[in-house]
Amino acid sequence: GQNIDQPTEMTATEGAIVQINCTYQTSGFNGLFWYQQHAGEAPTFLSYNVLDGLEEKGRFSSFLSRSKGYSYLLLKELQMKDSASYLCAGMDSNYQLIWGAGTKLIIKP
Amino acid sequence: NAGVTQTPKFRVLKTGQSMTLLCAQDMNHEYMYWYRQDPGMGLRLIHYSVGEGTTAKGEVPDGYNVSRLKKQNFLLGLESAAPSQTSVYFCASTGPPDRGHEQFFGPGTRLTVL
């Protein structure tokens, strides 16, 4: 079967670093996505990894290990506006996204 | 560009009523999707379309129908609403896989079925 696992909730302090992990199992693999979703809003695209390694984009970085079926999203210099849910999604062989339930990130001052 | 828009934003239905949710995109995208999002669960694909005039079932298609008569519009219909269809519905669109994979989402429709 297809499955995406990520922690339900995490708490971090403003200015700190947090790593959100995701493990995936998909029928075929065409990449791993991270989306951000603020409460009551639509998901917005953060990153896409299809090759092993780290992709850096400003304060956000995403890592992929295809052999381990593992990805993480790294958020640096946390700001209060980073309080949101972070959704991990794997793209299967049919180019369909399989979504995790999301990790709610709470930032404390 | 408006991106992806959805109509309506909120709706309350009684069990057995019908309604149509409209999704429109102005990015000339081929692929369009309807998802539902429920608390504690990931987005689940209801139906999708890979081009004008084509539709296909996703993970949870029962109780829903769709149509893609025009490339820019994707309609989701509920023929006889049930309380289990209370959810937030998101429409998304993207270009073909060889032109990038980012899905662009509409603002969502919050549907309550009493």
Side-chain angles (χ1 to χ4, degrees):
Chain A
Q2 304 196 97
N3 193 50
I4 305 288
D5 282 320
Q6 55 181 127
T8 303
E9 187 175 296
M10 299 182 71
T11 302
T13 304
E14 189 178 15
I17 299 173
V18 70
Q19 179 176 311
I20 303 174
N21 296 324
C22 170
T23 58
Y24 66 88
Q25 203 171 5
T26 57
S27 300
F29 181 72
N30 279 302
L32 194 290
F33 291 76
W34 285 95
Y35 279 76
Q36 180 189 59
Q37 186 177 26
H38 285 100
E41 298 182 7
T44 55
F45 172 81
L46 285 178
S47 69
Y48 169 65
N49 294 66
V50 67
L51 299 176
D52 288 351
L54 188 69
E55 295 275 346
E56 297 186 79
K57 193 185 295 185
R59 294 189 298 114
F60 292 10
S61 303
S62 56
F63 173 83
L64 176 68
S65 169
R66 288 174 297 172
S67 63
K68 295 182 179 179
Y70 167 71
S71 173
Y72 68 73
L73 180 70
L74 191 71
L75 293 74
K76 303 176 184 176
E77 301 170 12
L78 285 170
Q79 302 175 9
M80 297 303 294
K81 68 178 182 180
D82 297 330
S83 292
S85 288
Y86 291 85
L87 313 181
C88 176
M91 181 170 276
D92 69 13
S93 57
N94 293 319
Y95 296 98
Q96 301 302 329
L97 285 178
I98 310 302
W99 296 84
T103 298
K104 182 178 180 180
L105 179 62
I106 300 168
I107 310 295
K108 295 185 175 180
Chain B
N1 287 349
V4 181
T5 57
Q6 291 182 231
T7 310
K9 288 187 169 55
F10 302 91
R11 186 73 186 268
V12 179
L13 289 179
K14 294 181 179 178
T15 297
Q17 287 185 317
S18 63
M19 78 165 294
T20 300
L21 284 68
L22 171 64
C23 176
Q25 53 93 6
D26 61 2
M27 295 174 283
N28 202 34
H29 283 166
E30 294 289 341
Y31 290 38
M32 296 186 74
Y33 309 84
W34 275 107
Y35 292 98
R36 60 178 290 173
Q37 187 175 39
D38 300 294
M41 302 182 72
L43 288 160
R44 291 184 292 169
L45 184 64
I46 303 171
H47 286 279
Y48 65 100
S49 169
V50 300
E52 181 179 318
T54 72
T55 62
K57 294 180 179 179
E59 179 188 355
V60 289
D62 294 343
Y64 306 95
N65 56 73
V66 288
S67 64
R68 182 98 181 268
L69 299 179
K70 293 183 179 180
K71 185 177 183 179
Q72 63 267 34
N73 295 338
F74 194 28
L75 278 63
L76 178 71
L78 286 73
E79 291 185 348
S80 180
S84 61
Q85 294 178 304
T86 293
S87 188
V88 180
Y89 292 86
F90 287 105
C91 176
S93 72
T94 187
D98 61 348
R99 295 185 188 177
H101 302 280
E102 177 184 350
Q103 288 192 8
F104 296 83
F105 283 81
T109 296
R110 282 148 186 81
L111 175 66
T112 301
V113 183
L114 301 175

